[in-house]
Amino acid sequence: MSQQEGLCVRVGEDAYFCRRDGLGVADGVGGWAHVVKGSNAALFSSRLMHHCASQLEHFDDILNDYDINDYYGLDPVKVMQVACERTLEDAGQGPNRAVGSTTALVAFLRDDELRLASLGDTSLIVLRNGNMIFRTEEQQHSFNFPFQLGSDSKDTPEKDAGSWAVKVREGDVVLIGSDGIFDNLFDEDILDIVNSVVMGTPVHPPTHTHIHEANQHDSNHHAHNPTPVAVLPKSRILRTDPHAIASAILVRARDVALDSGTTVVSPFQERAVKEGLYYQGGKMDDLTVVVGIVSVMEDSPDRR
């Protein structure tokens, strides 16, 4: 169940925010529950997203004390760093402090530039005309051990976050997902789902193959290839409800996560096998995905 917390929404140990100019997802690291009694990964993910969103909200009111250069000069790494520091303050100090950590990704628009910062294995992709044009890189210390922000972590946004600036166009689809999404769905599957929702056609079933074939698969070559798409009409993309795309992706990811491995091969399975581990099927986890479609807003606020 999801619930509003400040300027973000918490879903299990994940949290996200959605604004007309920005999106963010934080994936609270659930492993703390097995290490420290009373840990609270959800606090770290939700407070981090709240504090990221609050920095963007500051520019909503032109009466606030800021210069136009502050608006256009906003750095996503700095936004995440400030949010991290405020989150650690919220967690408290000493023996009674809250304990936990989270991965995070924050992205926002400045004119036609999508600026983003990412730390850990939460990922963002940009789709244009039915094709993927950009994808962030995941950060892992080792298999299934992502970079993270929080208690006793040496990872910091200023030192470790990846940062990108991507030129976008009207009709581009921006999607951010926690590792629960990308551990269960190949990029090709996500592309298929988005294209099917936009075109109003049936969504293909999940990636299917025999287990012994998957064990010999290279992680860059999957059994399923996306449906060829010429060029998606921009008018159809702009009429598409982003919630419909997100819902379809969530349904598919949940189906794969619940699969025992008899029919479905997941990206997490492929990576585990490459590490020499025996693993079949999907990966149970919190599933969070937010989707935005770039559009021109005629009522954009005056930035002085």
Side-chain angles (χ1 to χ4, degrees):
M1 295 292 291
S2 63
Q3 64 183 73
Q4 188 77 32
E5 291 193 2
L7 298 176
C8 75
V9 177
R10 181 167 66 85
V11 185
E13 292 177 334
D14 292 357
Y16 68 89
F17 73 85
C18 295
R19 294 170 41 87
R20 64 180 181 178
D21 63 348
L23 305 167
V25 170
D27 180 3
V29 178
W32 279 99
H34 306 293
V35 179
V36 179
K37 184 178 180 179
S39 61
N40 191 350
L43 178 145
F44 281 82
S45 61
S46 61
R47 297 309 295 168
L48 188 78
M49 287 295 95
H50 168 80
H51 289 307
C52 285
S54 69
Q55 294 175 73
L56 299 180
E57 185 184 57
H58 175 73
F59 297 103
D60 289 351
D61 188 348
I62 62 174
L63 298 180
N64 283 338
D65 184 21
Y66 70 88
D67 185 86
I68 190 65
N69 294 324
D70 297 332
Y71 174 79
Y72 281 107
L74 194 64
D75 178 1
V77 173
K78 182 64 175 178
V79 168
M80 189 181 291
Q81 180 66 37
V82 170
C84 180
E85 293 169 0
R86 292 175 179 174
T87 299
L88 289 172
E89 290 176 3
D90 293 342
Q93 303 293 325
N96 295 322
R97 65 185 177 132
V99 176
S101 61
T102 184
T103 68
L105 192 151
V106 60
F108 55 84
L109 285 169
R110 287 297 180 263
D111 293 338
D112 65 345
E113 184 175 83
L114 182 69
R115 301 177 186 175
L116 57 141
S118 174
L119 192 141
D121 55 4
T122 296
S123 300
L124 177 147
I125 60 176
V126 179
L127 308 178
R128 177 177 299 159
N129 295 330
N131 298 286
M132 187 177 301
I133 65 163
F134 175 80
R135 192 194 199 283
T136 55
E137 298 177 6
E138 298 178 5
Q139 296 173 307
Q140 302 265 0
H141 289 292
S142 59
F143 175 67
N144 209 29
F145 178 24
F147 284 36
Q148 53 200 269
L149 306 172
S151 303
D152 304 321
S153 175
K154 296 181 180 179
D155 303 329
T156 69
E158 286 183 337
K159 178 171 64 72
D160 300 299
S163 179
W164 298 266
V166 183
K167 290 293 185 180
V168 293
R169 304 175 185 171
E170 186 177 40
D172 285 357
V173 178
V174 179
L175 182 151
I176 306 176
S178 63
D179 69 324
I181 298 296
F182 290 95
D183 279 345
N184 287 296
L185 297 178
F186 293 108
D187 292 351
E188 293 92 335
D189 294 319
I190 294 174
L191 183 60
D192 250 351
I193 294 168
V194 174
N195 291 344
S196 295
V197 172
V198 170
M199 296 304 295
T201 58
V203 177
H204 286 116
T207 300
H208 286 66
T209 188
H210 295 297
I211 298 304
H212 72 273
E213 293 176 344
N215 291 346
Q216 301 174 26
H217 245 334
D218 181 88
S219 62
N220 294 320
H221 300 86
H222 307 135
H224 174 63
N225 294 315
T227 301
V229 174
V231 175
L232 293 179
K234 186 169 70 173
S235 60
R236 290 194 68 105
I237 299 172
L238 293 174
R239 290 199 305 268
T240 301
D241 183 358
H243 293 93
I245 296 175
S247 296
I249 291 172
L250 282 174
V251 169
R252 172 60 52 77
R254 184 180 62 227
D255 288 346
V256 175
L258 293 172
D259 190 276
S260 62
T262 56
T263 58
V264 176
V265 173
S266 70
F268 186 82
Q269 175 183 333
E270 286 198 351
R271 291 193 290 267
V273 169
K274 287 187 68 176
E275 294 292 325
L277 303 174
Y278 177 79
Y279 193 93
Q280 289 188 352
K283 179 174 180 283
M284 288 299 300
D285 200 351
D286 289 333
L287 304 171
T288 300
V289 58
V290 294
V291 178
I293 297 176
V294 178
S295 62
V296 176
M297 298 193 66
E298 298 180 357
D299 61 342
S300 296
D302 180 12
R303 295 298 176 190
R304 289 187 279 189

